[in-house]
């Protein structure tokens, strides 16, 4: 076998190996994003021009989230929020629209105390999607009903559903999603 032929075979093998490494890297990155964002991954892909654009956005969300100082609540704050949630649930019996509004404010306050920015609903959704992608649809649904209720357009059943949705995210934020946070110095 001539040197030229051998060199061509080696170059072809190197190119194939490089392409395989890139493909494996892309698949691993995609799997990581799917696992981390849960249903929010598919929703972002559907709302985007392309999978590549969606995945770039999700990686940007991760970077922003990683720069935030998200922290667990101290037990005293956790107890206070638990009492406030009970109060909001009791309020629902007599004033369901007010209770839904108060639930929205309580979830926003809890997010703030955990370290999430609360400057706008869309940004809240993006920030929450990194760690709470599996309960994000609850927040989206609850917020939609809360918006209807501010115009007195929500039924009592929709308001009840909103409370259930808020509770799902509230419980996850309160318990830190069931995950222990590393201690920060």
């Amino acid at each position: 076998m001539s040197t030229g032929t051998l060199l061509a075979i080696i170059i072809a093998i190197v190119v194939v190996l490089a392409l395989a490494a890139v493909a494996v890297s892309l698949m691993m990155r995609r799997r990581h994003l799917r696992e981390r964002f849960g249903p929010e991954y598919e929703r972002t892909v559907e709302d985007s021009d392309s999978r590549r654009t969606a995945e770039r956005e999700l990686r940007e969300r991760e970077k922003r989230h990683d720069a935030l100082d998200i922290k667990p609540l101290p037990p005293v704050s956790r107890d206070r929020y638990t009492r406030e949630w009970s109060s909001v649930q009791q309020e629902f019996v007599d004033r369901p629209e007010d209770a839904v509004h108060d639930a929205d404010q309580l979830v926003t306050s809890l997010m703030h105390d955990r370290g999430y920015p609360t400057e706008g609903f869309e940004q809240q959704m993006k920030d929450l999607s990194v760690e709470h992608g599996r309960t994000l649809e609850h927040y989206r649904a609850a917020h939609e009903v809360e918006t209807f209720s501010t115009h007195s357009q929500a039924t009592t059943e929709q308001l009840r559903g909103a409370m259930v949705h808020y509770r799902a995210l509230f419980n996850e934020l309160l318990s830190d999603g069931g995950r222990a946070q590393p201690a920060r110095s």
Side-chain angles (χ1 to χ4, degrees), residues 39-156:
E40 188 64 14
Y41 174 88
E42 293 302 329
R43 181 182 182 87
T44 304
V45 168
E46 287 174 16
D47 291 346
S48 186
D49 296 337
S50 69
R51 183 175 302 278
R52 186 179 203 165
T53 302
E55 289 177 352
R56 186 177 322 114
E57 178 185 332
L58 294 172
R59 285 191 305 275
E60 288 171 7
R61 290 183 194 184
E62 280 184 313
K63 285 180 188 173
R64 175 180 160 93
H65 182 273
D66 291 346
L68 298 174
D69 185 23
I70 307 298
K71 55 197 171 291
L73 288 176
V76 171
S77 295
R78 185 173 285 123
D79 292 344
R80 178 178 54 85
Y81 273 109
T82 299
R83 286 190 307 276
E84 288 181 27
W85 182 259
S86 292
S87 176
V88 168
Q89 284 185 301
Q90 291 172 1
E91 176 185 22
F92 185 82
V93 174
D94 294 323
R95 299 186 343 254
E97 286 182 343
D98 292 340
V100 167
H101 180 70
D102 291 346
D104 181 68
Q105 288 182 327
L106 189 59
V107 167
T108 301
S109 177
L110 176 56
M111 288 171 49
H112 181 268
D113 284 357
R114 290 282 317 278
Y116 288 98
T118 55
E119 66 262 9
F121 178 71
E122 287 305 317
Q123 188 60 53
Q124 288 175 5
M125 294 293 291
K126 289 177 181 180
D127 291 338
L128 286 170
S129 71
V130 178
E131 291 291 329
H132 305 284
R134 285 168 175 59
T135 54
L136 205 54
E137 196 55 41
H138 287 288
Y139 189 39
R140 203 175 263 118
H143 185 76
E144 183 179 342
V145 172
E146 196 273 336
T147 301
F148 289 150
S149 77
T150 59
H151 303 296
S152 299
Q153 296 176 340
T155 67
T156 303

Side-chain angles (χ1 to χ4, degrees), residues 15-34:
V15 168
V16 168
L17 289 175
L19 290 174
V22 167
V24 167
S25 173
L26 289 173
M27 287 185 341
M28 289 176 58
R29 197 172 358 172
R30 183 167 291 157
R31 184 173 352 132
H32 162 77
L33 291 172
R34 277 190 171 138

